[in-house]
Amino acid sequence: MSGPLPLSVNVELLFREAGDDLGERIRAAADHGITAVEIWSHSDKDLDSIHKALEATGSSLHTLLVEGRLTLADVSTHERFLEHVRAAAETAARLGCSRIVTGSGVGLPYMKRAVQHGIVVDALRAGAEIAAEHGVTILLENLNTRVDHPGMLFDTTAECLAAVREVGSPGLALLYDVYHSLQMGEAPEQELAGALDLVSHVQIADVPGRGEPGTGAVDWRRRLSALRQLGYAGPIGLEYMPTMETTAGLRFVEDIVRVL
């Protein structure tokens, strides 16, 4: 591996100084030298503005969300989930984006966890087929239950990886969120050992507080070096709640990735 790890920024959160239009935030990110961006929902966005900004700057849209936030352990949600997957995949294809993000949804207290796991895997398997048909990949994200997502079923990296392995499709991979993993008390280098082939993207935010890297207690030089040593060479997605002006908040992590 050579060269620094690239960065990807969520323009829902960062470069807000450029105004409300996400196209202008994409341009601001590109002016700063970051040409990979991410968004959340897509049905409420000015997709023409985003598309024009991506083309004008040569930037790429790295991820967008599968909308709906459904409880995939409930079979009755699967039809709607697949509709949302199809809509996200079509939008992603239009914008040149190859990754669409989902979670498992919350668990059901009246059903055994192993049974719920299997039902979620069924939904993901069907979704992965649709995604693959459109040339995109669903990214299953680990989401912590201790702080941000109480009740979430797949709250550990291990369970998400197990689901990805069970589906066994190029239409499904892991979005490894370091922030959520650390909130669950996990060690990234242990969770991802031997599993980098299943990881399509990595996102970070500091702990505690979910602010910029460098504002919390995480040793980011060690954590990002470990990811690099495991073989990760893709963008580091910045999805944090900024506490300062965007470019000032980026300096800490930019200095780290520059020398990895």
Side-chain angles (χ1 to χ4, degrees), residues 43-59:
S43 63
D44 59 345
K45 299 296 190 298
D46 184 342
L47 299 181
D48 287 337
S49 175
I50 291 172
H51 188 254
K52 288 176 182 177
L54 293 172
E55 286 195 329
T57 60
S59 299

Side-chain angles (χ1 to χ4, degrees), residues 1-16:
M1 292 176 287
S2 61
L5 286 172
L7 297 176
S8 175
V9 294
N10 185 312
V11 290
E12 306 261 11
L13 296 170
L14 304 182
F15 290 101
R16 289 180 174 179

Side-chain angles (χ1 to χ4, degrees), residues 1 196 226-234:
M1 292 176 287
L196 254 293
L227 283 172
R228 188 65 180 254
Q229 290 166 11
L230 285 170
Y232 184 74

